[in-house]
Amino acid sequence: MSDVSYDLEGQIAVITVDNPPVNALSRAVRDGIRQAFSRFEADDAAGIAVILGAGRLFIGGADISEFGKPPHPPSLPDVINGIEAAAKPVVAAIHGTALGGGLEVALGAHYRLAMPGATLGLPEVKLGILPGAGGTQRLPRLIGTEAALRMITGGTPIAAEQALENGLIDRIGTGEDLRAAALDYAGFLLDEGAAPRPVGALPRPDAAPIDAWRKTLEKSARGEVAPLTALCAIDAATRHDIREGLAEERRLFMHLMETPQRSGLIHAFFSERAVAKLPEIKGIAPRAIRHIGVIGGGTMGAGIATNALLSGLSVTLIERDAQSAEKARGTITGILDAAVSRGMLDAPGREAILTQRLQAGAGYDALKDTDLVIEAVFENMDVKKDVFAKLDAVMRPGAILATNTSYLDIDEIAASTSRPADVIGLHFFSPAHIMKLLEVVVAQETAPDVVATAFALAKKLGKTAVRAGVCDGFIGNRILSHYRTAADHMVLDGASPYRIDAALKDFGFAMGPYQVSDLAGLDIGYATRQRKAAKAHPKDRAPTFADALYHKGRLGQKTGRGYYIYDAGDRRGRHDPEIEAIVAEARAQEGTNPREFDDDEIVRRYMAAMVNEGARVVEEGIAMRPLDVDMVFLYGYGFPRWRGGPMHYADTVGLDTILADIRRFAETDDHFWTPAPLLERLVVEGRSFASLN
Ligand code: T1G
């Protein structure tokens, strides 16, 4: 029972789960718990049992790394049913967090205590599954159908105080010592002569909230199967006694375990942890970052500054003059006020930030004590070099000079300073205080501890950092440019932008490419095309319909009209009857004969372009692994999380299928559709992108 220990404290059996780092319910732990409870049942000296976790939390859930492998007994439901059937009372003492199977273990106990600050949750739907060890049957019996539906179909944990209020736990422990609090409560129950109190024996929960909740989920859980399936399991609890209900829950759980959505969401779970594991920074200590500088108080600069301030850092923001600096302070104040109104920040916190942690001015010498500076000035190489020359002159030795450029050559910027090893790219995504993705762009000379510092800073800022190499667009925008071109080609060949957007929203994207253009601004795309025009290939097909919209001043949401018309207050937009004529004009200019595109072809072309360029980005080392590309698209480009990212999606479709599509598309355009060598090699070798992770 190495992972589970049993000791007797007076008449109290203390069963401790100790399986670092999160006490996951591995096969050994399940077996250890089962043996510990057999010993408890047989131990006449023990009148009550306490189960608790060693380390920083109670139990973090089933062992996700076992998913997809053959199950090994004892199953978690059997272990938990054994706890509930104990002839003597059992207390679960929770600290840190009890998640998934961990909370289900606590639901199998007869009494529950949680320490202050503990959280309790059933996040299984976030992994594409449902609580499969009694959670959907016991939780609604304990806290009611509505509260259980909210916890299970949303997957968001609740705090101990809320759990006390809704009946999930019986007591909040006092003091800091978990074991003392647990023994105190167990002793109290023993003195009270408390008997076993199986949750499964409670009356069936009320079915009334089910139908309304189903309607809500059918809209909000768009495309995801787990939340609605979890609702079916809870519905079964309202109609069956515990035994039949558990059987139905198991059937539904096993069904979800087989879905590609479970595979996609588990891939996302492990990838968001793997993405920060880089050989180049293993064991490298990051530099301390407490006070940062931000150059430029526009949308990006103000967003970056706000993100840093809300993460506890001090910020010195520099603009070209005092008036601009004050304007930037105003922008930041506005974002903080919105955070206060949303309850994300309290008034004293806002005050402290604005009076103590934010300085805004025009003089670079105010940066001399900062640990790192991020410039977010105009995207022009001469402007950047001028800024870096000033930074190089005032920043202390060891300070880090970062650029937020989205495409300029960071090697060139670094070479213009006396300290290229301290130069790195930190590419934020707008709005910078909300978007979680941060591309950490590593230049040739960037020192490993500067890379490590960037990843440590990202964690502090609550970002998901992905390492990128230097190229035009790094990982995300470079691939975006490619699949956007595939979409534009479909429009030139006959597809409606609206049909393309609809098909990709049905695929699961938050927005289609033309909705994204309207959001970002059509001037951004126009400027990018102008910038790249010098290197255009004669066979490149220009999206002249996009240029036409730009020249008409239709820049998207910011002008109220782009591909869609945005009436006051309506951000969703409606179709513009003039678009058809504008697109027809572009087709006529090219001399193309428009044809129909169905949703299937739209998705295949869009995804083949995305995957093909993703393969090139991995092959060139711009992305370390395919999972890095997946993380960029899950966190920065609205790719549906339950599909795991473009490269994971390609594995589920089959790389041979993707390659066959590309070869078929190349029959009519072998310039744009050139298979990436890595993709061809993996198909020949019968390997997947996952094999490179
Ligand atoms: N199984 C296996 N490994 C896990 C794990 C788990 N449940 N949870 C975390 N890890 C690994 C993680 O990959 C990382 O590994 C290390 O532990 C530290 O994790 C029947 C079937 C618990 C809040 O969804 O939310 O129960 O990178 O960096 O920030 O109904 O981990 O070090 O090699 O995240 O302190 C339901 C998932 C499972 C909880 C701790 N449970 N975990 O956060 O550490 S399904 C969950 C978390 C289930 C039952 C069903 C967090 C955490 P490495 P970490 P952390």
Side-chain angles (χ1 to χ4, degrees):
M1 279 200 309
S2 61
D3 297 338
V4 178
S5 62
Y6 179 103
D7 68 276
L8 205 56
E9 186 91 29
Q11 292 180 296
I12 303 169
V14 181
I15 295 167
T16 305
V17 176
D18 188 2
N19 179 26
V22 297
N23 292 335
L25 291 157
S26 63
R27 176 185 181 184
V29 169
R30 296 195 302 275
D31 202 40
I33 294 173
R34 189 183 55 142
Q35 290 180 39
F37 274 89
S38 302
R39 181 170 168 185
F40 165 57
E41 293 277 38
D43 187 348
D44 294 337
I48 189 168
V50 168
I51 181 167
L52 48 79
R56 55 200 166 97
L57 52 89
F58 177 63
I59 296 174
D63 186 338
I64 303 174
S65 62
E66 291 180 356
F67 286 7
K69 296 171 187 161
H72 283 289
S75 78
L76 188 55
D78 288 348
V79 169
I80 293 172
N81 294 342
I83 295 172
E84 183 171 72
K88 296 179 277 187
V90 178
V91 179
I94 295 164
H95 76 298
T97 191
L99 289 176
L103 181 54
E104 290 174 303
V105 166
L107 287 166
H110 305 129
Y111 300 89
R112 284 157 291 280
L113 167 144
M115 297 305 283
T119 56
L120 303 90
L122 293 174
E124 286 85 343
V125 293
K126 293 181 175 176
L127 299 174
I129 49 179
L130 55 78
T136 66
Q137 307 304 306
R138 293 191 173 98
L139 189 66
R141 280 178 165 80
L142 201 56
I143 67 173
T145 306
E146 180 97 25
L149 281 163
R150 182 170 293 107
M151 274 188 80
I152 293 172
T153 62
T156 304
I158 62 172
E161 292 70 19
Q162 193 180 346
L164 183 67
E165 218 173 282
N166 70 17
L168 176 49
I169 62 171
D170 305 287
R171 174 186 280 208
I172 289 186
T174 51
E176 301 287 309
D177 185 328
L178 167 68
R179 186 181 173 99
L183 291 173
D184 176 62
Y185 184 41
F188 163 78
L189 290 168
L190 212 51
D191 295 348
E192 292 285 298
R197 195 180 59 171
V199 173
L202 292 174
R204 290 205 300 268
D206 171 19
I210 296 281
D211 288 344
W213 206 271
R214 178 180 284 110
K215 288 190 177 53
T216 307
L217 279 181
E218 278 161 355
K219 289 199 190 74
S220 62
R222 227 163 42 84
E224 294 178 71
V225 292
L228 276 165
T229 309
L231 176 136
C232 294
I234 296 167
D235 183 33
T238 68
R239 291 183 286 106
H240 300 295
D241 75 14
I242 191 71
R243 266 166 38 82
E244 281 78 3
L246 287 172
E248 178 62 1
E249 172 192 83
R250 196 75 190 154
R251 186 184 70 76
L252 293 168
F253 172 79
M254 296 312 286
H255 160 67
L256 286 180
M257 283 296 270
E258 298 313 311
T259 63
Q261 294 200 9
R262 189 268 303 160
S263 154
L265 288 166
I266 299 285
H267 168 73
F269 174 84
F270 283 117
S271 298
E272 63 199 12
R273 288 155 178 81
V275 76
K277 291 194 177 78
L278 306 170
E280 78 190 282
I281 62 173
K282 189 172 172 54
I284 302 268
R287 298 179 192 174
I289 302 290
R290 277 176 297 279
H291 181 188
I292 72 166
V294 174
I295 314 294
T299 308
M300 288 309 290
I304 293 167
T306 307
N307 185 186
L309 289 163
L310 288 169
S311 305
L313 295 173
S314 294
V315 175
T316 296
L317 186 141
I318 300 297
E319 256 286 4
R320 55 177 169 275
D321 54 44
Q323 190 187 355
S324 308
E326 271 320 296
K327 184 167 180 292
R329 173 184 281 276
T331 308
I332 293 168
T333 304
I335 299 173
L336 294 177
D337 291 344
V340 169
S341 58
R342 279 203 307 273
M344 285 172 59
L345 176 70
D346 60 20
R350 171 193 174 283
E351 202 49 34
I353 286 175
L354 291 173
T355 54
Q356 296 156 30
R357 288 201 279 119
L358 171 62
Q359 282 76 36
Y364 274 63
D365 52 4
L367 299 167
K368 63 183 185 310
D369 298 329
T370 54
D371 308 310
L372 173 144
V373 70
I374 304 169
E375 64 76 20
V377 298
F378 185 61
E379 286 282 56
N380 170 283
M381 185 55 88
D382 293 338
V383 172
K384 300 276 189 198
K385 283 181 178 174
D386 176 53
V387 165
F388 269 79
K390 289 178 182 164
L391 294 174
D392 202 7
V394 300
M395 301 289 291
R396 63 173 177 72
I400 292 172
L401 282 55
T403 170
N404 173 56
T405 184
S406 57
Y407 64 86
L408 291 172
D409 184 336
I410 299 174
D411 289 322
E412 188 179 338
I413 293 173
S416 73
T417 71
S418 67
R419 51 175 116 180
D422 292 337
V423 175
I424 194 165
L426 293 179
H427 180 219
F428 289 80
F429 286 73
S430 185
H433 60 291
I434 292 175
M435 291 300 284
K436 281 183 70 81
L437 178 62
L438 176 67
E439 282 180 319
V440 173
V441 190
V442 180
Q444 293 287 347
E445 302 293 319
T446 304
D449 72 326
V450 173
V451 180
T453 307
F455 273 81
L457 176 64
K459 193 170 176 97
K460 182 154 184 66
L461 297 177
K463 300 287 184 195
T464 295
V466 181
R467 186 197 190 284
V470 174
C471 73
D472 189 332
F474 315 133
I475 299 173
N477 285 343
R478 168 167 161 183
I479 295 170
L480 164 67
S481 160
H482 211 71
Y483 63 81
R484 267 310 308 266
T485 301
D488 290 342
H489 286 182
M490 284 191 269
V491 171
L492 289 169
D493 289 333
S496 146
Y498 305 124
R499 176 92 190 248
I500 290 174
D501 280 351
L504 291 158
K505 277 195 70 174
D506 287 347
F507 176 83
F509 279 93
M511 302 170 90
Y514 297 99
Q515 289 167 309
V516 170
S517 284
D518 276 1
L519 177 67
L522 272 64
D523 44 335
I524 305 278
Y526 181 79
T528 303
R529 286 192 299 277
Q530 294 299 97
R531 175 168 63 81
K532 293 182 176 179
K535 294 183 199 141
H537 185 282
K539 287 190 170 180
D540 285 352
R541 301 174 66 186
T544 47
F545 55 90
D547 298 338
L549 286 173
Y550 171 80
H551 291 304
K552 289 174 183 290
R554 297 181 191 175
L555 307 185
Q557 290 194 23
K558 57 182 154 185
T559 59
R561 193 170 187 178
Y563 289 96
Y564 296 82
I565 295 174
Y566 298 90
D567 301 317
D570 168 22
R571 295 197 53 157
R572 273 178 319 116
R574 59 187 168 86
H575 293 190
D576 180 344
E578 289 187 25
I579 287 294
E580 194 41 57
I582 292 170
V583 166
E585 169 62 27
R587 291 169 188 153
Q589 275 177 21
E590 254 207 352
T592 41
N593 299 319
R595 69 174 177 85
E596 280 300 307
F597 283 79
D598 63 19
D599 290 0
D600 179 62
E601 181 174 8
I602 289 170
V603 169
R604 294 173 85 111
R605 284 178 173 267
Y606 200 76
M607 287 311 301
M610 188 182 297
V611 170
N612 201 35
E613 195 62 15
R616 289 200 189 100
V617 159
V618 170
E619 186 163 35
E620 293 169 25
I622 299 295
M624 295 280 287
R625 305 149 290 192
L627 72 85
D628 295 79
V629 175
D630 286 336
M631 286 297 102
V632 163
F633 281 86
L634 291 188
Y635 282 103
Y637 292 79
F639 195 92
R641 183 180 175 85
W642 45 269
R643 291 190 188 272
M647 313 306 267
H648 180 83
Y649 167 78
D651 282 349
T652 55
V653 167
L655 300 192
D656 52 349
T657 301
I658 301 282
L659 182 57
D661 278 354
I662 292 170
R663 285 179 174 151
R664 190 169 67 258
F665 304 151
E667 287 164 10
T668 49
D669 177 356
D670 62 358
H671 166 60
F672 179 77
W673 295 105
T674 309
L678 173 63
L679 179 60
E680 291 182 306
R681 192 164 68 248
L682 289 174
V683 169
V684 164
E685 295 167 2
R687 292 171 59 201
S688 62
F689 283 127
S691 68
L692 303 177
N693 283 336

